[in-house]
Amino acid sequence: AQKITQTQPGMFVQEKEAVTLDCTYDTSDQSYGLFWYKQPSSGEMIFLIYQGSYDEQNATEGRYSLNFQKARKSANLVISASQLGDSAMYFCAMREGRDTGFQKLVFGTGTRLLVSP
Amino acid sequence: KAGVTQTPRYLIKTRGQQVTLSCSPISGHRSVSWYQQTPGQGLQFLFEYFSETQRNKGNFPGRFSGRQFSNSRSEMNVSTLELGDSALYLCASSLQGGEAFFGQGTRLTVV
């Protein structure tokens, strides 16, 4: 069965610093997709970044990058130049079968990030 | 382009009642999936609909059901509500195989 592990319940970072949020995963599938979502206190899940298991390059989206280490089964999110608005819960998620079209995500327990001035 | 819209945003129901939540996906998205989020269990997959057919279901009792209409809008229904059903219910839409985009959720409180 698929499993996502986020070992950091909370992280603190100062504004303008970079922060890495950890995510490890477990799956027997060769084809899968990895996602990071941000959830502010309003509740909405905001899509940040996606990495496919066959993608050779690490994904990047603006200030977000995904450090994908397939052999170690890790998919850490790096936020560069943190901003106060980055304070939120961050969830790592996995979808089995990158190209199946099925949309069942398995989520980790999340990491609460607090950015201080 | 409008995002995923969930209604209502907040709901208070009494044990034993039933509730229907609605989700309007992003235009053109035919896949709609539902998730339950609670402090104790985290985010759990409920079910997914594609072109009016349920093609995946999570490990929830039969009290939880859903459907999808021809315009891709989806509803989920919970019958005989229990206190433990209090949660944030999130709906996500996507293109076939694409990223899932979530709505703001419906916060259900069962008293």
Side-chain angles (χ1 to χ4, degrees), chain A residues 2-23:
Chain A
Q2 293 178 302
K3 187 176 180 183
I4 294 283
T5 301
Q6 294 180 257
T7 57
Q8 305 156 315
M11 289 285 285
F12 297 89
V13 67
Q14 278 202 307
E15 206 176 1
K16 298 179 186 176
E17 289 186 348
V19 63
T20 298
L21 306 184
D22 294 341
C23 172

Side-chain angles (χ1 to χ4, degrees), chain B residues 2-21:
Chain B
V4 179
T5 304
Q6 290 188 246
T7 57
R9 290 290 312 280
Y10 302 93
L11 209 47
I12 300 176
K13 289 286 188 179
T14 305
R15 268 182 304 175
Q17 286 187 314
Q18 76 164 16
V19 67
T20 299
L21 312 182

Side-chain angles (χ1 to χ4, degrees), chain B residues 47-106:
Chain B
F47 27 65
E48 184 209 359
Y49 287 86
F50 184 85
S51 292
E52 302 178 66
T53 301
Q54 185 185 89
R55 61 179 185 181
N56 217 338
K57 190 177 192 308
N59 188 24
F60 279 82
R63 300 186 297 108
F64 291 81
S65 62
R67 58 178 175 169
Q68 187 180 33
F69 302 95
S70 58
N71 62 357
S72 294
R73 189 177 71 85
S74 176
E75 288 181 347
M76 69 162 279
N77 184 277
V78 188
S79 62
T80 320
L81 283 165
E82 300 175 0
L83 295 178
D85 297 333
S86 294
L88 178 67
Y89 290 88
L90 290 159
C91 163
S93 79
S94 66
L95 294 168
Q96 177 87 338
E99 293 83 14
F101 294 92
F102 285 80
Q104 289 189 296
T106 294

Side-chain angles (χ1 to χ4, degrees), chain B residues 30-50:
Chain B
R30 293 164 64 192
S31 168
V32 174
S33 50
W34 290 87
Y35 295 81
Q36 181 198 64
Q37 185 177 23
T38 60
Q41 299 298 317
L43 280 148
Q44 293 185 286
F45 172 79
L46 279 157
F47 27 65
E48 184 209 359
Y49 287 86
F50 184 85

Side-chain angles (χ1 to χ4, degrees), chain A:
Chain A
Q2 293 178 302
K3 187 176 180 183
I4 294 283
T5 301
Q6 294 180 257
T7 57
Q8 305 156 315
M11 289 285 285
F12 297 89
V13 67
Q14 278 202 307
E15 206 176 1
K16 298 179 186 176
E17 289 186 348
V19 63
T20 298
L21 306 184
D22 294 341
C23 172
T24 58
Y25 60 91
D26 189 22
T27 181
S28 55
D29 251 27
Q30 296 301 310
S31 174
Y32 50 88
L34 296 159
F35 300 79
W36 277 92
Y37 286 90
K38 171 185 176 181
Q39 188 178 42
S41 55
S42 62
E44 182 180 4
M45 298 285 281
I46 301 168
F47 166 75
L48 295 177
I49 198 165
Y50 166 80
Q51 179 87 39
S53 58
Y54 293 120
D55 296 339
E56 295 184 353
Q57 304 271 359
N58 284 345
T60 59
E61 291 282 353
R63 295 185 300 112
Y64 304 106
S65 60
L66 199 152
N67 184 1
F68 181 46
Q69 297 187 44
K70 194 169 181 177
R72 297 179 62 185
K73 292 191 174 179
S74 76
N76 298 339
L77 176 70
V78 180
I79 306 175
S80 63
S82 297
Q83 301 172 355
L84 295 178
D86 293 336
S87 294
M89 281 290 286
Y90 288 80
F91 291 94
C92 180
M94 178 166 56
R95 182 181 68 210
E96 213 167 47
R98 183 181 71 165
D99 297 317
T100 62
F102 293 167
Q103 199 57 270
K104 176 183 176 182
L105 296 176
V106 174
F107 285 88
T109 51
T111 296
R112 183 170 296 281
L113 177 66
L114 287 177
V115 182
S116 60

